[in-house]
Amino acid sequence: PKINLKCYFCQNKKLPDYKLVEVLSKFISDRGKILSVSKTGVCAKHQRKLAKAIKQARHLGLLPFVV
């Protein structure tokens, strides 16, 4: 499901952070996969940082690898 047309992080003037699990969970599928840019509506710069933050949160056990 598309969140919005504009980038979520540009609109809220935030950066993706591994500690914000509730925000990151919006950008992963029900199976735990990172959603694509076309589905999230996040700009390319923030999509890269988002993927890194999700992977970091998974590694620390804050997010699941698979559901």
Side-chain angles (χ1 to χ4, degrees):
K2 225 175 198 186
I3 293 173
N4 54 21
L5 298 172
K6 298 273 185 180
C7 174
Y8 172 85
F9 298 102
C10 291
Q11 279 184 338
N12 296 322
K13 295 186 176 27
K14 288 182 178 177
L15 286 175
D17 188 18
Y18 71 92
K19 292 173 273 189
L20 302 172
V21 178
E22 60 281 345
V23 174
L24 295 180
S25 60
K26 291 183 193 175
F27 300 101
I28 58 174
S29 71
D30 54 341
R31 300 234 175 192
K33 295 174 102 180
I34 301 171
L35 293 173
S36 66
V37 176
S38 58
K39 289 195 175 88
T40 60
V42 177
C43 67
K45 176 179 131 184
H46 287 121
Q47 179 72 17
R48 287 191 297 274
K49 292 184 181 200
L50 175 67
K52 220 167 212 181
I54 290 173
K55 289 172 187 176
Q56 197 172 2
R58 283 177 178 166
H59 187 72
L60 293 169
L62 302 173
L63 284 174
F65 279 94
V66 287
V67 179

